[in-house]
Amino acid sequence: MRPVATFEVKAALPPSLAALEEVAYNLRWSWDHESLALFRRLDPELWEASGHNPVLLLGRLDQRRLEALAGDEALLAHLERVKRDLDSYMSGNGTWYRKVFGPAERPLVAYFSMEFGLTECLPNYSGGLGMLAGDHLKSASELGIPLVGVGLLYQKGYFRQYLSPEGWQQERYPVNDFSTMPLRPFLDGEGHPVRISVPMGPRSVLVQLWRVEVGRVTLLLLDTNLPENPPDLRDITDELYGGDMETRIRQEVVLGVGGMRALDRLGLRAQVYHMNEGHSAFVSVERIRRLMAEEGLSRREAWEIVHATTVFTTHTSVPAGIDVFPPEMVEHYLGPLLDEIGGDRQALLDLGRLHPGSSGEPLNMAVTAIRFAGFVNAVSELHGRVSRALWRDVWPGVPEAELPIVHITNGVHPGTWISDEMHRLYDRYLGPRWAEEPGDTRVWQQVQEIPGEELWRSHERRRERLVAFARKRMLSQLRSRGAGPAALARAEEVLDPEALTIGFARRFATYKRATLLLRDLDRLGRILNDPRRPVQVIFAGKAHPRDDAGKSLIRDIIHCAERPELRRRIVFLEDYDAVIARYLVQGCDVWLNTPRRPREACGTSGMKAVFNGVLNLSVLDGWWAEGYNPRVGWAIGTGEEYADADYQDRLEAGALYEILEQEVVPLFYTRGSDGVPRGWTAMMKTAMQELCPVFNTNRMVHDYLTRAYVPAQIRRAVLARDDYRGARALAAWRKTVRAAWPGVTILNVETELPADLRVGATFTVRCWINSGALQPEDLAVQVILGPLDEHHQLVAAEKIAMAFAERRADGALLFIAQVPCSASGRQGFTVRVEPFHELLAHPHGTGLIRWAR
């Protein structure tokens, strides 16, 4: 039946409980343990049934229960304490950013992401990318950075997982009821929802704007599911990563173009724009259009401003993980914007092509983001190397090691992921600064003061809680599959609350090799079923709905878990989400990660485990390649990379079994007279001391601020000063350089090498260059010096600037350098020339380079 009217009913809170609503609508409660305890106290069973959703909880509480709570003096005191703490927090007077930079009148950063994982009751995420984005906002709030998040609000979000009786993953897509979630629509001065119009090819789509308060940070979410839109445009924000290529480009137009227009409509236009992956790259196109219309800049001049103030973070290790769109599809959907920008349309589209000038080449969203961004970063040191190899063709001729892709290693937000017990331990022995300044290594030295027995008893309680949770989940899973009484009875006995517990939970992409541990079931069975030293494994994770290979891995685990000798020792928990993740990273003893190196960009689940004293056992990939040393965990292999995948799997599975048998299990079960494994707890404390201050998002966001955001802000000020004089000059210079560059050649390189060179000696290199229309000051000429590899190729180790010396009558320019001999052995050198301008963000910023032949 179609209603004639719709309306929304909210909880009628007694006046003494009115502050509950304000606390519920600010997601600071999701990492504030006092706030969580308050909501749990209202009704523990309903809190769990609501999916840890305080807005839904308040709406479902019986009015008589509310009236009773309104007279509960202890509860009211708890509420007053939480509300006072929230008010103090929101004032932001003592934040790190305010102390260093002072108050901000507008956002410094607009952070765009396709997904945000903030809490399980706001299912706007699918995995690690979203969780990282959510933790980024939380740490920006903690540091007081004036940042606004921008994303899409999905009617269904990512899928919910359940398994068929045969163990095959099935998907369902429950519809979200926004009225019962901790978000609200933006309202205008008359109380009406704020909406904007976004061009979508020859049509336009109406977008409603929603707000989520994440501590001091606002997250802006865009929603197209409005009755005024035609059905196909309503569905743009239907599912996260759902639909076909056309749906994806529509989503990315709404995110990029719509996100920028929404910020403008709300008066939240930022100074720096951070793209978390390439999904939002179209924001740069909209920014160029705006700068041209509002500031009177040319397309090239506007690009200089956009480039100077754009940050791009790539999370992908393989080309298959990047969205690419046919050029005709891009022209169709961006047509109105491209028409307004004008000029050479193909030149603008070339910014998204790996090979500019190839008119039929599709638009690659990562390449688009790279070409618009003045700061590009990978998410771990190893991923930086992988990314430079992946995108080296964007800068042809530039040595791979020098490509302008740096790394800022990911982290996690500690307060979101640690247990109540660990929170109290840290408060007791480290003091409050562990939460306020988690990147301070001096604070974490105090971890060694935690008594081993106290740490161990706390950890044992968390493992017991994990086992109880897993049993409950298993019973629920089996009932939904129609299991009989015998199977249900067995489920009540799975796992042992005192056994060594290994956790493996992540997206079931094939490269993550979820079944590596199962490669030799006989050997694994002996490890798991040792009567004196039992071991157990808990798996969780989702495969992409179209990834049948990933689904097969889940089915293989289910079949193994059904074997009589393994059914008490191996468990798979359905519908992996933030709730399961917290139980696992808080209650496991060992966190297992087995990606095929170097495919893991970073991985953050192991970091969450570390904050809870859980030890990592992992391939040296992603963050573990940086974090590992023998004092803090275990490494599978020594960082080898193989061409033969089956050979690699065989070797690394064997290494995994060996580590479990010879190191992990003995260390865990070597106990003192009090039952405490002293060696194990010592490793727990060392891991927390060395890893926690590094692998947290407060450190990560601080890195982004100091290395990317503030330099971009300063650079924009320089370019925009005096009616954009710097941007206009730099754009004109680039145009001149590109036109003149075909005529730039290295005519010859001259040197006289002494017969007997010793370390400390020098020799002179002279280089004649035909510079065409360019002046000496337009060029950076360098001697590249270094040892030779086994193929007699120069390994660039040192760069020595050459100075301009004279101009010949024919116009040729002479550059000279004195080259030191700083190392012995067989050496070589060459000369290169690049365009130079003092306003370039990076020495290779033009992508133009000439090498001596």
Side-chain angles (χ1 to χ4, degrees), residues 651-701:
L651 281 183
E652 293 184 342
L656 172 55
Y657 296 136
E658 184 79 11
I659 292 169
L660 289 172
E661 292 164 340
Q662 302 301 320
E663 300 182 49
V664 177
V665 174
L667 186 66
F668 182 85
Y669 282 106
T670 300
R671 307 292 176 93
S673 58
D674 56 0
V676 176
R678 298 291 172 180
W680 190 277
T681 56
M683 185 178 277
M684 290 171 71
K685 289 194 279 187
T686 302
M688 291 187 286
Q689 176 187 327
E690 295 190 13
L691 301 178
C692 289
V694 179
F695 297 102
N696 66 80
T697 43
N698 282 37
R699 184 275 311 157
M700 180 194 80
V701 173

